[in-house]
Amino acid sequence: MRLFTILGVPVALSPWLILIMAAMLVTGQGNMLFIAVIAIGLHEIGHALCARALGMPVSEVYFFPLGGTSRLAMPLEETGWREAVMALFGPAINLALALIAIEVQQHVLHSHALAPFIMANLTVCAFNLLPALPMDGGRALRAMLVAVVGADRATRFCVLLSKCIAVGIVGLFLYSLFSGAAQWFALPIGVFLFISAHQEKINMRGYFSSLSGKTAVLSRDRAARMRMVAVRRGTRAGDVLKSLSGSRINRIVVMDDELNTLYEMDESELVRRALDKGLDERL
């Protein structure tokens, strides 16, 4: 549910989060809610500002019961190292806020009045540094792996790691439950990480979902229009993908400067090369 914009970026809240916030106000936990809004809000604003500074458009900042996320309006394969910087900038904001609050508490207030604010920021920082998608640590890890093994393999590895972490957190909850000191907060965190990691895997298949639609048309009608695309040797895979028709089956012909055909490839092969080796892969 989109409510307002901050610095031109739409801000949306999960309906569940709105209910939780209302419940906190009704039960007299307004101070805790205020602290959480500041810690998580500045965290996500930091993401958005960093993304803009690095030339990555932000389509939306979305807040859910366990945090928030800044959604980029560009494919993962084009973000590269910039997404790692953006992802780590959010926890850095929380760490800086906690350190500043500690200094103010010790040298100005001479009390522990800011202890809840410090703890909230340290908690948000630590939680987001988990190497699990869609947390910042997981996004940074995937962004760094993309340059080595490609977007598809990087995502599959991070999804598997995220699910292992999620299962581990649920396992800790079960252990605490049977030991008589149930840590109920661990259960929704583990379930959330597992579901979100699976959704990341689904999102990564965007290119292939388009190919699946074309395959379905060919299977149903037994005939479909094909478009031949001629490209020069050395052209970026990303530039070729942008030129492909979304409604027709595409076949790519790679040619030299004298217009001699060097080789041909199917659209699906081009997509796999782009995901495995990046959009800068040369044909």
Side-chain angles (χ1 to χ4, degrees):
M1 181 184 301
R2 290 191 177 185
L3 298 180
F4 52 87
T5 61
I6 296 179
L7 302 176
V9 178
V11 176
L13 273 67
S14 163
W16 289 106
L17 178 59
I18 294 176
L19 290 175
I20 292 173
M21 293 172 67
M24 292 179 70
L25 289 174
V26 171
T27 56
Q29 301 182 62
N31 290 338
M32 183 182 299
L33 175 61
F34 178 72
I35 292 173
V37 167
I38 293 178
I40 299 175
L42 291 178
H43 175 103
E44 294 303 328
I45 290 175
H47 280 317
L49 292 177
C50 183
R52 282 190 168 184
L54 294 174
M56 297 187 295
V58 179
S59 62
E60 180 183 69
V61 174
Y62 182 74
F63 291 96
F64 47 85
L66 294 179
T69 182
S70 296
R71 294 171 173 170
L72 299 176
M74 63 188 304
L76 169 65
E77 307 84 63
E78 294 183 6
T79 59
W81 60 269
R82 294 179 295 172
E83 183 169 12
V85 174
M86 184 206 74
L88 296 177
F89 196 78
I93 290 288
N94 293 117
L95 181 59
L97 289 173
L99 294 177
I100 292 172
I102 290 173
E103 288 297 312
V104 172
Q105 184 173 257
Q106 291 180 347
H107 300 99
V108 178
L109 300 179
H110 303 289
S111 70
H112 296 288
L114 296 179
F117 179 77
I118 294 170
M119 183 57 64
N121 278 281
L122 291 178
T123 301
V124 172
C125 177
F127 180 58
N128 275 277
L129 287 178
L130 281 175
L133 295 171
M135 310 314 297
D136 296 329
R139 294 179 68 179
L141 175 61
R142 180 175 63 177
M144 290 183 285
L145 288 175
V146 166
V148 180
V149 298
D152 190 36
R153 292 176 184 171
T155 298
R156 282 192 275 114
F157 172 80
C158 289
V159 165
L160 177 60
L161 177 60
S162 301
K163 289 184 176 180
C164 290
I165 293 174
V167 171
I169 292 175
V170 173
L172 289 175
F173 161 72
L174 294 175
Y175 174 79
S176 69
L177 185 64
F178 290 115
S179 64
Q183 303 296 320
W184 289 101
F185 68 91
L187 180 59
I189 290 176
V191 173
F192 164 76
L193 289 178
F194 191 92
I195 295 175
S196 298
H198 186 69
Q199 185 61 46
E200 289 287 340
K201 182 179 180 180
I202 294 174
N203 293 342
M204 190 63 230
R205 315 309 291 183
Y207 286 132
F208 290 111
S209 64
S210 174
L211 295 177
S212 298
K214 297 176 183 180
T215 301
V217 170
L218 184 61
S219 299
R220 183 186 68 243
D221 300 339
R222 306 192 66 82
R225 293 185 177 183
M226 175 175 283
R227 177 172 176 253
M228 300 293 289
V229 180
V231 301
R232 290 181 59 184
R233 176 176 50 190
T235 303
R236 291 177 64 251
D239 294 333
V240 179
L241 283 172
K242 292 178 182 178
S243 69
L244 298 184
S245 169
S247 59
R248 299 185 180 186
I249 297 174
N250 298 279
R251 186 164 181 82
I252 297 89
V253 181
V254 181
M255 313 183 79
D256 61 19
D257 294 336
E258 285 73 37
L259 301 183
N260 297 313
T261 300
L262 299 176
Y263 61 92
E264 298 182 12
M265 69 171 65
D266 296 327
E267 184 177 356
S268 58
E269 181 182 349
L270 174 65
V271 169
R272 289 189 178 89
R273 288 182 62 172
L275 291 176
D276 287 342
K277 301 180 180 180
L279 296 178
D280 288 331
E281 170 71 1
R282 302 287 176 170
L283 303 185

